[in-house]
Amino acid sequence: MPTFTCPLPLPTRERILLAHGGGGRLTNQLLEEIFLPAFANTALEARHDGALLSVGGARLAMTTDSYVVQPLVFPGGTIGDLAVNGTVNDLAMCGARPMALSAGFILEEGLAMDTLRQVVFSMRDAAMMAHVPIVTGDTKVVDKGKGDGIFINTSGIGVVVAPGPIGPQSVRAGDVVLVSGDLGAHGIAILSVREGLQFEGPMLSDTACLWPAVEALLSAGIEIHCLRDLTRGGLSSALNEIASAAGLHIMVQEALIPVSAVVRGACELLGLDPLYVANEGRFAVFIAEKDADRALTILRAQSVSAGAVQVGMVHERKSDRSSGIVTLRSRIGGHRVLDMMSGEQLPRIC
Amino acid sequence: MPTFTCPLPLPTRERILLAHGGGGRLTNQLLEEIFLPAFANTALEARHDGALLSVGGARLAMTTDSYVVQPLVFPGGTIGDLAVNGTVNDLAMCGARPMALSAGFILEEGLAMDTLRQVVFSMRDAAMMAHVPIVTGDTKVVDKGKGDGIFINTSGIGVVVAPGPIGPQSVRAGDVVLVSGDLGAHGIAILSVREGLQFEGPMLSDTACLWPAVEALLSAGIEIHCLRDLTRGGLSSALNEIASAAGLHIMVQEALIPVSAVVRGACELLGLDPLYVANEGRFAVFIAEKDADRALTILRAQSVSAGAVQVGMVHERKSDRSSGIVTLRSRIGGHRVLDMMSGEQLPRIC
């Protein structure tokens, strides 16, 4: 009788590229080929910013992010407040009130203690602003040349307060797409330091806690279909993930997308598209068209989303292809497909 | 009228040393001088392996750990199963049933995809063994030479099932100290690879999930006063932390502490003290003396704690000094103070 053995996969010569961490196509490939098959479970497969869990009778959201931004201190923030705001925002994007954060530090031997102090104190300030305690932590030190100053992981748990499911599965044709403010400030602030660029005005990161904006929408009874913060890969990658998961067509209008003159100028100079540049205090929200005006009024009353505008709408796919698509109507009236970022535009932006 | 300004602390020339991550005296100093003042809150100040929280009506424990062990693959495990077991064990040490883990990867550009696969699949196996899903994740990539292959952060949440408070504050004079098995295997397994040592028998890491042992004690109604896994800094550092927090005197007997002949031999060769070597599948438990025999029987029925023994007892401090102390009664009858590890014995052991 023949025996059947399950052969181990042959060794490959594939290696990790910077773009595997960029939030675009290669990150998705890594997720689909390695992480999802290994860790298969319903919470992970939802592929949202956080996982929804029922624990001890409570409806919880849980999320994690590691921060590797360079430089550690940049105009408008540090790796520390970024690590607090980014994880708090992932909870907010689940419709969950942030309740507690953990902080895991990987320090490089030789790091100046004063740099650590500055980063830790900016974490403290961001946590106080967000009203979220840092309840547990861990510190590891790696040999000089095996790290890069400071890496921080923050994980968070929150209590889900949104009544309905928030995610791509709730997006419907006819929904409007709002964004909470002008795009690209974080990415350009980081790049300005790296490249030694000077601007006429101050070019600060938009890093901020988004929960007050989400809470205001929920408190007013706005039925939120989907939320997504516009981090790695920017607006384009976020919309592509949602369109793809929902199997719908998202159409945005270039003329409606808010980009400041400074960011637009810097992007032209550097050959970047602001729709792919990372933000750390901006999000997109999908709601029914009937709620659009009221939602915009509510968002504009919160300082973190004072610049909220409608940028597009959701449509059925015209063809019978089930996959989603994002298109951009340009200022001169043409249409083009807005693809997911395939490479790494700005490595280590968060 | 004079004005008072709060001066910024003067810049110092202090720098981070490897020993700041070693789990001993310098780690404690970092905690006391930087992290605790910044993040002050009751959960963090408990300084346990995890934080206890009441969230949405549920009694939860939350914990985080980053793993930077080298090599990534070692006899008996990988950084992946270590990252699962270590964090699950921190929850178990809070008397909490592990419910969900997050996984945050920091990958170095150029990492072989096959190494990542091996590590991720060993995480999967460890998570399945521990019956805990990995529900959310994140991947970042840093430039070649700015990381070290793979760093992993795992954070976890669990539901507290222990009826009473578990921690140094519950330890009483008259309690017995049990350890769950022989000490030092993880540290020596790692070191054997680094130093190219050969042993007669296999020298495998003890990395394992401790929850079944804790659950068995709780299910049997044993009143657990304190639990501590014996990771960085080994048995000595763990006992010192507890003695210090409880303000009591812990006395252990050298002849009762289980150390295998292979570990003892390797420690002698390398000039290490097995009481300071890291374990990844061993813990100490403090209970009333009346429960000792029953607890040992229960522990020995679980494979992960089959080698459980009593190693010492807790006493009042004789002097009027309020700080705790740990002493060792040696084989020949002498007594010496077992201090907290002050340097870094084995860097990057977990």
Side-chain angles (χ1 to χ4, degrees):
Chain A
M1 196 174 123
T3 56
F4 296 93
T5 56
C6 177
L8 281 171
L10 288 174
T12 70
R13 300 174 67 181
E14 287 172 281
R15 294 196 171 268
I16 288 291
L17 310 175
L18 272 175
H20 281 111
R25 196 183 299 282
L26 282 175
T27 304
N28 266 283
Q29 194 180 315
L30 204 59
L31 202 57
E32 276 164 18
E33 292 180 6
I34 297 190
F35 294 114
L36 287 177
F39 301 144
N41 62 68
T42 49
L44 195 65
E45 277 153 20
R47 297 181 60 172
H48 203 53
D49 285 310
L52 300 181
L53 309 166
S54 177
V55 177
R59 286 174 69 215
L60 298 185
M62 181 180 190
T63 184
T64 193
D65 254 323
S66 297
Y67 298 83
V68 300
V69 67
Q70 277 291 338
L72 299 173
V73 178
F74 49 82
T78 76
I79 190 173
D81 44 44
L82 205 65
V84 168
N85 289 331
T87 294
V88 163
N89 290 348
D90 281 347
L91 293 171
M93 296 302 108
C94 298
R97 180 190 306 282
M99 298 297 287
L101 293 181
S102 65
F105 294 84
I106 299 176
L107 309 178
E108 185 188 8
E109 183 186 20
L111 173 73
M113 201 67 88
D114 285 336
T115 305
L116 178 62
R117 267 195 203 98
Q118 182 180 5
V119 165
V120 166
F121 280 77
S122 72
M123 287 188 85
R124 175 198 63 181
D125 292 347
M128 283 176 73
M129 290 275 287
H131 303 289
V132 184
I134 295 171
V135 297
T136 188
D138 172 58
T139 307
K140 295 292 188 318
V141 180
V142 296
D143 333 49
K144 197 166 174 62
K146 300 293 186 182
D148 201 7
I150 305 179
F151 299 142
I152 303 177
N153 176 284
T154 46
S155 300
I157 54 175
V159 175
V160 178
V161 293
I166 290 180
Q169 77 282 4
S170 301
V171 174
R172 300 282 172 265
D175 279 1
V176 296
V177 185
L178 314 182
V179 301
S180 64
D182 62 305
L183 302 183
H186 176 71
I188 297 302
I190 296 285
L191 216 60
S192 70
V193 191
R194 288 202 202 142
E195 306 287 327
L197 299 182
Q198 298 286 336
F199 300 108
E200 285 186 27
M203 184 69 249
L204 302 182
S205 165
D206 50 32
T207 176
C209 169
L210 296 171
W211 173 242
V214 175
E215 187 179 33
L217 291 174
L218 291 170
S219 299
I222 299 283
E223 188 187 293
I224 297 174
H225 296 173
C226 190
L227 292 164
R228 191 66 60 117
D229 51 349
L230 309 175
T231 53
R232 283 184 292 180
L235 178 68
S236 293
S237 296
L239 295 183
N240 265 283
E241 278 177 39
I242 294 166
S244 164
L248 291 166
H249 172 194
I250 300 174
M251 193 190 297
V252 292
Q253 298 202 38
E254 191 176 20
L256 301 179
I257 298 172
V259 179
S260 73
V262 183
V263 168
R264 192 175 300 284
C267 281
E268 277 169 14
L269 197 70
L270 297 162
L272 297 174
D273 182 339
L275 303 188
Y276 291 89
V277 175
N279 312 273
E280 290 292 334
R282 296 289 181 261
F283 69 107
V285 53
F286 290 69
I287 52 173
E289 192 174 14
K290 68 174 173 58
D291 291 331
D293 288 343
R294 203 157 66 91
L296 283 172
T297 305
I298 292 163
L299 287 173
R300 288 173 186 160
Q302 297 293 325
S303 59
V304 75
S305 52
V309 289
Q310 178 178 338
V311 298
M313 283 203 70
V314 181
H315 304 272
E316 295 288 356
R317 291 279 345 234
K318 288 220 178 84
S319 69
D320 57 358
R321 288 165 53 199
S322 63
S323 60
I325 192 172
V326 182
T327 60
L328 178 86
R329 186 167 187 274
S330 75
R331 281 193 173 74
I332 53 168
H335 283 80
R336 64 178 173 92
V337 171
L338 211 57
D339 211 350
M340 179 163 274
M341 188 163 68
S342 64
E344 172 65 300
Q345 198 185 42
L346 296 172
R348 300 185 58 188
I349 208 75
C350 63
Chain B
M1 195 175 122
T3 56
F4 296 93
T5 56
C6 177
L8 282 170
L10 287 175
T12 70
R13 300 175 68 182
E14 289 171 282
R15 296 195 170 269
I16 288 289
L17 310 174
L18 273 174
H20 281 111
R25 197 183 300 280
L26 282 175
T27 304
N28 266 282
Q29 193 180 317
L30 205 59
L31 200 58
E32 277 165 17
E33 290 179 7
I34 297 190
F35 293 115
L36 287 178
F39 301 146
N41 62 68
T42 50
L44 195 64
E45 277 153 19
R47 299 183 56 173
H48 203 53
D49 285 310
L52 301 181
L53 309 166
S54 176
V55 177
R59 284 174 70 213
L60 298 184
M62 181 180 190
T63 184
T64 193
D65 255 322
S66 296
Y67 297 85
V68 299
V69 66
Q70 276 292 338
L72 299 174
V73 178
F74 49 81
T78 76
I79 189 173
D81 43 45
L82 205 64
V84 169
N85 290 332
T87 294
V88 162
N89 290 349
D90 281 346
L91 293 171
M93 296 301 109
C94 298
R97 180 189 306 283
M99 299 298 288
L101 293 181
S102 65
F105 294 85
I106 299 176
L107 309 178
E108 186 187 6
E109 184 185 20
L111 173 74
M113 201 67 87
D114 285 336
T115 305
L116 179 63
R117 266 195 203 97
Q118 181 179 5
V119 165
V120 166
F121 279 77
S122 73
M123 286 187 85
R124 175 198 63 181
D125 293 347
M128 285 174 72
M129 291 275 285
H131 305 289
V132 184
I134 294 172
V135 296
T136 189
D138 172 60
T139 308
K140 294 292 188 320
V141 180
V142 295
D143 333 48
K144 198 167 174 60
K146 300 293 186 182
D148 201 8
I150 305 179
F151 300 141
I152 303 177
N153 176 285
T154 46
S155 300
I157 55 177
V159 175
V160 178
V161 293
I166 290 180
Q169 77 282 5
S170 301
V171 174
R172 299 280 171 269
D175 280 1
V176 298
V177 185
L178 314 181
V179 301
S180 65
D182 62 306
L183 301 183
H186 176 72
I188 297 302
I190 296 285
L191 215 61
S192 70
V193 191
R194 289 203 200 142
E195 308 286 328
L197 300 183
Q198 299 285 336
F199 301 107
E200 284 186 27
M203 184 67 249
L204 302 181
S205 165
D206 51 32
T207 175
C209 168
L210 296 172
W211 173 242
V214 176
E215 187 178 33
L217 290 175
L218 290 171
S219 300
I222 300 283
E223 188 187 295
I224 297 175
H225 296 174
C226 189
L227 292 164
R228 192 66 59 119
D229 52 350
L230 309 176
T231 53
R232 284 184 292 181
L235 178 67
S236 293
S237 296
L239 295 184
N240 265 282
E241 278 177 39
I242 293 167
S244 164
L248 291 167
H249 173 194
I250 300 174
M251 193 190 297
V252 292
Q253 297 201 40
E254 190 175 19
L256 301 179
I257 298 173
V259 179
S260 74
V262 183
V263 168
R264 193 175 301 282
C267 282
E268 277 168 14
L269 197 69
L270 297 161
L272 297 174
D273 182 340
L275 303 189
Y276 291 89
V277 175
N279 311 273
E280 289 293 334
R282 296 290 180 260
F283 69 108
V285 53
F286 290 69
I287 51 174
E289 191 173 14
K290 69 176 173 57
D291 291 331
D293 289 342
R294 203 156 66 90
L296 283 171
T297 305
I298 293 163
L299 288 173
R300 287 172 185 160
Q302 299 293 325
S303 60
V304 75
S305 51
V309 289
Q310 178 178 339
V311 297
M313 281 202 72
V314 181
H315 304 271
E316 296 288 356
R317 291 280 343 238
K318 289 219 177 86
S319 68
D320 57 357
R321 287 166 53 200
S322 63
S323 59
I325 192 172
V326 183
T327 59
L328 178 86
R329 185 168 187 276
S330 75
R331 280 193 174 74
I332 53 169
H335 282 81
R336 64 177 172 96
V337 171
L338 211 56
D339 211 349
M340 177 162 276
M341 186 164 69
S342 65
E344 172 65 301
Q345 197 185 45
L346 296 171
R348 300 183 59 186
I349 208 74
C350 63

